[in-house]
Amino acid sequence: MDFTRLVEPAGLVYGRAAQEAIKAGNALPLAGGPAAFTLVDLIDGYTRSGFMPVAAVPAGWQAELARVVAAPVGGMVPLGAQVMGILNLTPDSFSDGGVHAQAQHAVAAGLEQVRAGAGLLDLGAESTRPGAALVTPQQEWARLEEALCALRAQAPNTVLSIDTRNSFVMEQALKAGADVINDVSALMHDPQALPLLAQHTCGVMLMHMRGTPQTMEQHTHYTDIGYDVVRELGRCVQRAVAGGIDPARLMVDPGFGFAKTTEQNMQLLARLPLLANLGCRVVVGVSRKRMIGAVTSEQNPARRDPGTQAASLCGLALKGSILRVHDVGGMVQAVKVWQSVHNV
C-alpha cells in the first residue's frame, strides 16, 4: 500500500448529527464510526489541497478516501473502545517505578485494574523512558514470568499484553499465555522478532519511535509531524505484513513522547484521524507523560491522571481505539461519559 498520498479527515460530528450528515451526503464515517467527517484535506507528498467538503473530493482520490472510511481490523482484541491497564514491573519507570516490582503486588494491581474495567493489561519489565538503563532479555523475563503466569491463571478472560522489544521475552511470554506483543520499536530492535511473531497468532502493537530510548531525543525533526508519523508507521505495517504477519493482527501506536517534543505531541494528538489511513486499530498512550506535565504544570507524574483522561479521549473518534493508562477506573468513567454524550 502506498502512503505517499494521504487523506486527513476533519470537521467531525457524532451521534444523530453524524447519521443525518452521512445520509445527506455531507459526511462519511471515520474508520467505521462513531465519528463522521465533513471535511477532508488531500495530501500528495507534502502538497495539500486544503480542506474541502467530502462531496467535492476528485474521482482520483476515491481509493484513498475509502481507506479512511473502512473499519479497522480487530488486532486480536475485543471489539469496541478498550482501556488498557499499565503494569510496570520495573524499578525505574518514570511514573511508578518499583511499585509493582514484586510479582504479588503486580498481580494484585492487575486484578484490581480488571475489576475497574480494563479490557487489556500491558505488562512491561524494561523501562523505555529517555536515558533508561539497559537490561538483558533474561533479566526482563525474570521480572515478568511470575506475574504473567499468575495473571493468566487468575484472569483467564483478560487480554494480556507484553511490552517488550526482545524476541527471547516474546517467545517465553507467548508460551506462558500472553495474547499480545507490544513492541515500542515496531519489531525493528531485534531481528528475530518479526520471524518469531509470524509463526504465532497473537496481536501485535507497532509503535512509532525514532532512534532508541537512549537517543530518541536527538531525532525530533519532522517536516510535518502528522504526515511523517503516519508514513513511517505505514512502512512498519508493510514490513510486518511482508514478513508474514496477518494485517488483522496489527495495531498501531503513534508513540507519544518518543522522539517528539511536547508541541509535536499535542499536534499529533489533535490530528489522530490521520491514522485512519493505516487501517489498524490505534493505541493512545499518553498516560502521565511529560507532555501532560508540560501543559498542566504538574511536576508529579502520579498526579497527572485528569490530564491523561482529557488527552486520551481524543482517541475515541477512531473506532476500537485502545487507551493505555495507569488509572483504569478514572479512564473507564471518562469513556462512559464521553460515549453517553456522543450517543455511541
Side-chain angles (χ1 to χ4, degrees), residues 217-332:
E217 293 183 325
Q218 304 168 25
H219 300 281
T220 58
H221 174 74
Y222 297 86
T223 303
D224 180 289
I225 185 67
Y227 309 161
D228 291 346
V229 167
V230 169
R231 286 173 176 143
E232 290 169 23
L233 262 177
R235 288 194 286 271
C236 293
V237 169
Q238 290 172 324
R239 178 176 177 270
V241 172
I245 296 179
D246 189 326
R249 297 167 53 194
L250 296 174
M251 294 156 278
V252 294
D253 181 341
F256 292 102
F258 289 80
K260 300 166 189 74
T261 66
T262 292
E263 182 179 6
Q264 290 166 344
N265 285 318
M266 291 302 171
Q267 292 172 357
L268 189 57
L269 191 62
R271 299 171 69 192
L272 281 177
L274 260 173
L275 289 163
N277 284 272
L278 299 177
C280 299
R281 291 176 73 170
V282 174
V283 182
V284 179
V286 297
S287 190
R288 299 181 179 176
K289 288 186 175 179
R290 187 185 306 172
M291 59 183 281
I292 305 296
V295 171
T296 63
S297 300
E298 177 54 67
Q299 299 302 308
N300 182 353
R303 294 177 61 86
R304 296 174 185 165
D305 291 327
T308 295
Q309 291 154 18
S312 298
L313 289 175
C314 296
L316 294 182
L318 294 160
K319 185 175 183 179
S321 54
I322 298 164
L323 311 183
R324 184 179 181 273
V325 298
H326 296 84
D327 176 19
V328 169
M331 192 72 249
V332 168

Side-chain angles (χ1 to χ4, degrees), residues 159-181:
V159 175
L160 299 182
S161 168
I162 301 300
D163 181 358
T164 183
R165 303 179 292 166
N166 296 304
S167 62
F168 172 79
V169 177
M170 295 176 189
E171 185 171 20
Q172 301 308 311
L174 291 170
K175 289 178 181 177
D179 303 293
V180 173
I181 297 297

